[in-house]
Each structure stands twice: as structure tokens, then as C-alpha cells.
Amino acid sequence: MTTTLNESVPTDTPSARTRKRGTKVRRQRVRAAWTYLAPMLVALALVAGWPLLRTFYLSLTDASLSDTTGAAFIGFENYLVKDDGVWYGLLADPVWWNSVWNTVYFSVISVSLEVVFGIIVALLLNAEFKGRMLVRAAVLIPWAIPTIVSAKMWAWMLNDQFGIINHMLMGLGLIDAPLAWTADADLSMWAVIMVDVWKTIPFVALLVLAALQMLPKDCYEAAEVDGIHPVKVFFRVTLPLITPALLVAVIFRLLDALRVFDVIYVLTSNSSSTMTMSIYARQQLVEFQDVGYGSAASTMLFLIIALAVVVYLYLGRRQLGVDK
Amino acid sequence: MNQHPMNRYQLTRLAKHVGKWALIAIIIVYAVFPFYYAVITSLKPSSELFEVNYWLTSLDFSNYAQIFAQKSFLQAIGNSILIALSVVLIALLLGITASYALGRVRFRGRSTVMLIILGVSMFPQVAVLSGLFEVIRSLNLYNNPGGLILSYTIFTLPFTVWVLTTFMRQLPMELEEAAIMDGATPWETITKVFLPLMWPAMATTGLLAFIAAWNEFLFALTFTLTNSERTVPVAIALISGGSQHELPWGPIMAASVTVTIPLVILVMIFQRRIVSGLTAGAVKG
């Protein structure tokens, strides 16, 4: 992902003949460049940089929602503190660790499923057939539907008494009694995964499809002439060639999955069996009004995601061999 | 076609053909069914709501009449349109100038700026929630569309700048050389030379920014308080009945269909653009 940074930029000066004028033009251009960057940098500092630093700071205070400026500095007490021989704080809270586990579980399973199904859909869309554009448009629909709306649609389909999913499964004889998809602690995580997978297969499929369409056609023709089985061709030729695109799709999806909020908030709200890090942090911040403690959870979430990115980029680079 | 009985080769070909079309059918049904089911549910009168039907059984618009009679739902639609359009405008304005600097000028610190942009686009939104809450409150933008417009730049701006920069880089150098020889200032170069060529890229990124802002939930839920300031995702999430177990599913589905139809139409018309924008943001990034 860092390769683009090293790409060449058009040189600044038109020719050697106008070098003298060129340096003036170049200086003018560099000054203009910073001027044009300034509004964007200011905006990002205001909505991202400063708030992030404040969140770090607030996690070291006892701030509450009604008063964040008058908060007292309490060090790392929101994270971990020993009082009367008992450990308190975020890192000693089993609910927090449960939500970390839920987030990881959700992310790994849903991203894996999305990649597998995304590849299947992409392979299909890569084949020539009549009405391909129509199928592609249909596949894009789940991506365009707001997460809240898709969660509501599925909540209705998964409704324990009147839902069509239970109706279908009972009609097929797969279950005897209706299942409480969103209320049952053992099922609710799978309900959430089901909705997330449905919504994000299109994204993965499109990225894989873009990679498939750039593959050279001749090695496939050679494989066909040699009578090599298509499944073998897929694992030996196609998969290695689309691996870079897959790695990009996986990191985008993983980053999204690790901060998942909307779909869970609507489907199962604060139920402990699906509580993720984002749900936990927001509950502390807004519902319990404990900005200090909630900021500590936000900071931990940030660190965990940053760690995931670093590990992933490191492994991805190793996987890809020498990166440009 | 030949009249001989089918040999093995033809049989496998036929099986493959049938298999392919079966798979296509499954994928289409899987992708479209939830939306389709929401549409037919929204068109049922409340008396039939709890019978499971696979086909459209009635054309009853009372659910739609009910949600459009609510002032807060109309206000939510108005807020969402206002916010999404403003976000697109700001993202494109700041994005086009920044992408000129990043895509066309070589200067020290350029890679650092690109890294910062990439870093911000990976931010979990919750990580800035408390800090951003403070900023919005100190600017007196709490419970105000302005607060959401401001906060949405955190995810629309990095993406817009990134994609526009990749597009900007692909434009030929000769264009700019000619402008420089004519003594054009950088501003004139942007507005007269690049802007006319950037429209397709701007349409793509603008569309994606619109969809992202239209669908956003966490900030909208946290930074608004009263019904009159809500956006549609929040309004839909907060529709409730007498208790958790008697949610008014008819109106919820009607509202869901109402806010999704514009997006489905946009996707149908601009699918090529959306696909190229999504893949440009990821593959080239």
C-alpha cells in the first residue's frame, strides 16, 4: 500500500532552457502546494488529530460527559488500579475482555467468509454471459443499503415469531421450533455475522473482480490447451496472482470489522454476547457518561487496531516478497 | 446442432452451463431478497403483517402515509440531504486543491502528508468520539447539522484526496507545461486545465462521499439529541413501539425502503463509476 508514495511525479520545470525562470516557477509552485494543502490539513487536524490527542488525555482523567474541562488528572487509574488488594480499571474488567474477544471472533469469521464468497462471486462475474451488468448491479445493492437499514431488514427476517427465515427453515424441516436469532446468546453473534457478510461480499467481490480483469489471458489459454483442471488452475495460477488485491481487500475489511458498531447496535443493542469494543466504549462514554473510562476503552481500541495494521502490513510485505 | 445423442463432453458442458446459471440465480436472490422482502412487507396492511408471504399480496400504502405524516421523519430526510450534500461539496473543494498539490507538485514532506491521510482513513471512529464531542460542543455545533458536516470530513476527506490524487497523477504532463509556459498561476492551472478533466473522478468520489455520509450512524447518534436534528439512519434505528417486542415493523420497513430507493437508483445508474471509484481507492492505494 505504500508503493504509490514512491511513484514519480511529473517534473516541475518544462525544459533546461528556462531553468532560471524554472526555479522561480518551482518555488512559486511549492508555495502554492502548501497553500492548497493547508485547508485540508487544518480540517484533518480539527476533526482527527486534536480529538485523538484529547481522547488520549481524557483517558487519564476522571472526566464526565457534562464536564470535560474541569476533570482531574488521575494517571492510569482508568486502565488499572489496585485498591484494597483488588484490581480495578479497564484492563481488569472481564466485560471489556469479553468485548475484545467478541470483536476478534466477529472480525476473523466474517472477513474469512466474505473473502471466500467474494472470490466465488468475482469469478462468476468475470465470466462472459448475457446480463452480466444486471447481475453486477444486483450484487451492488447490499453494499449501497445503509447498514442500519440492512440490520433492520434482517432483524425483521430473523424475527423469532413472524420472521421468514424461521418460516423457511421450518418449511424445509431443518428446525422444529422457531429460533430466537437475535435474543439467543448462542445464535446472536451468528446473526450479526450473517448480516455483515451479506452486506460486504459486494465490496470484496468488486476488488477481486478488478484484479481478475487485469490478469493475462494467455496463461489460461495455455492451461486449457494442456487440459489442466480448472480447480488446479485456480489454486496454482489465479490465486497467487490475485493475492496482492486480496491482501488489500482483507485489510480494508478487517479495519472495518474491528470497529463494528452499527449492525450490532441495531440487531442486539447492548447484549453481552455480541458486545464489541466500539459498543463497550460508546456505552461507557454516552450512556454511563464516564468520559474518562470510555476514553480509556477508545484508546485501547485505537492501539489494538494500530497493532493489527502494523502486524498485517509486516506479514503482508513478507508474503509479497520484496516491496517496491 | 448435431442430432447424435449427447456424448460425455457435451453432457459435462450442459451440466456446467446449468450449474453456472443456478449459481447466478442463487447470488441474485441472496443479494436482492432482503430488500425485496422489505418492499412487500411495507406494502402490507397491518392486519396481514404477521402472515409470511413470498409474493406481493396487497398494495396498501398506509405504512408510507403513516411515516410521511410524521414531521420528524420529513425533518430527518431534510437533514440527511443537507448534510450529505454539504459534506460532498466540502470534500470535493478541499480534495481537488489538496490533490493538485499532492499529485502534481514535488515537494519535501509530500510522502508524510500522504501517510497522514492514509492513517486518518484507517481511524476507528470511536477513538475520536470523546475528543470530537468536546470540539463540537465548544463550537456550539452539538445537536446541529453543522456538527455532523464537520465530523463527517474525517472519513470522506482522506478518501476523496487519495482517489483524486491518483487520478490527478495520471493526467499528462504536457497540459501543465503549456499552462506554465503561458504564465498561468497554479490556481489558473487547477481551474482552467485540470478541473474540466477531473469531472469524472469528482463525480465518482462525490457519489461515494454522498453514500458514506447518508449512511453514517455512530456520529449522528452521538452528536444529536432531539428528533428535529436527527438523520434518517438514526430516525429509523429509534422508531419504537410500545415495547421491544412490538416494534412497528410496517412503518420501519416503509421508512427503510424510502431511504434506500434513492441509493439503489444511484447504484443502477452509476454502477460503473462506483466500481471504478471503489477499486481506485483500494487497489491503487
Side-chain angles (χ1 to χ4, degrees), chain B residues 259-285:
Chain B
V259 304
T260 306
I261 279 182
L263 296 184
V264 171
I265 292 173
L266 282 179
V267 167
M268 292 295 166
I269 300 174
F270 296 108
Q271 59 153 314
R272 202 183 281 273
R273 273 202 192 302
I274 290 173
V275 170
S276 75
L278 276 180
T279 47
V283 174
K284 285 170 195 158

Side-chain angles (χ1 to χ4, degrees), chain A residues 1-17:
Chain A
M1 288 220 281
T2 47
T3 51
T4 346
L5 299 176
N6 307 328
E7 253 174 40
S8 67
V9 158
T11 40
D12 295 313
T13 45
S15 77
R17 203 182 48 197

Side-chain angles (χ1 to χ4, degrees), chain A residues 157 163-174, chain B residues 33 52 54:
Chain A
M157 286 172 37
I164 193 165
I165 305 261
N166 278 336
H167 188 264
M168 275 181 200
L169 292 176
M170 284 171 71
L172 292 170
L174 293 172
Chain B
F33 188 79
V52 174
Y54 291 83

